[in-house]
Amino acid sequence: MIRETIANGIKLVYREEGTPGAPPLLLLHGRTANHNDWNGITQHFAARHHVVAPDLRGHGASERPGTYALPAMAQDVVALVDALGFGRVTLVGHSLGGMVAYLAASAHPGRVDRLVLEDPAPPYPMRNRQPLVEDGSTGFDWRMMHETERQFLDPDPSWAEGLARITARTLVLSGGSLSPFDAAAVAEAIPGAALVTIEAGHLIHASARAGFLRAVDAFLDTAPPGEAP
């Protein structure tokens, strides 16, 4: 079901599936995408979770406020969690959504129980990026593209430092040699994070869906040390 709410002062549209009262799991899409990027994935996780897949600000049907600081996008997610009455949640983020997810987990460690980062954009300066060239795409705000690109090239150093503050059990998925990102560097900076490499390139959940689901399911099914599964 498609719903909307006001979170952090802006309208966020989100897809909701699964049973209310089940453990909450949020799926955060990558740059230029929207909740439809998780088609098929939402249904899989909804068998055991209360799944919410928002359109991030500047994407899909969510508001385009014209400002796209990545910490604000992370705060949108936390505000959405609050608006839905969730306590601790599982965050699954791809690419830009992975960056938003780890910024949320580092700023609000008490709100994130488990964290899955699928080929996340790193909090380190990116090199050899091709200049953005606008085309006729309308599914997202081009200002979002330009503002996030600037932050990719020159991220706030505190974002990398914040990875050490993450307390959520964390799985980092790397797309391997075909990926443009160094997911291993992100995993190394998060205490206790597990790293799984799936040679599928950047779009792991689309190019290797079965492998993606197996890895995430195995992670979610593994109990913390000292707890029964």
Side-chain angles (χ1 to χ4, degrees), residues 115-183:
L115 181 64
V116 177
L117 305 175
E118 178 197 352
D119 220 43
Y124 311 112
M126 296 187 189
R127 308 298 184 196
N128 303 316
R129 301 277 290 177
Q130 293 297 316
L132 287 178
V133 178
E134 295 191 20
D135 56 26
S137 299
T138 59
F140 53 87
D141 186 349
W142 276 100
R143 184 166 178 177
M144 174 278 302
M145 291 290 288
H146 292 291
E147 287 199 12
T148 54
E149 189 68 19
R150 283 194 290 271
Q151 293 170 86
F152 286 172
L153 296 174
D154 186 23
D156 187 323
S158 69
W159 300 348
E161 295 166 2
L163 295 179
R165 295 194 299 271
I166 293 175
T167 59
R169 295 186 61 231
T170 302
L171 169 67
V172 179
L173 296 174
S174 168
S177 59
L178 297 178
S179 169
F181 296 153
D182 183 4

Side-chain angles (χ1 to χ4, degrees), residues 29-60:
H29 62 75
R31 196 164 70 159
T32 76
N34 57 46
H35 70 268
N36 288 310
D37 192 54
W38 299 110
N39 288 346
I41 304 292
T42 54
Q43 293 89 337
H44 175 87
F45 290 125
R48 293 189 297 165
H49 295 84
H50 185 177
V51 177
V52 172
D55 291 349
L56 299 176
R57 71 163 63 190
H59 294 79

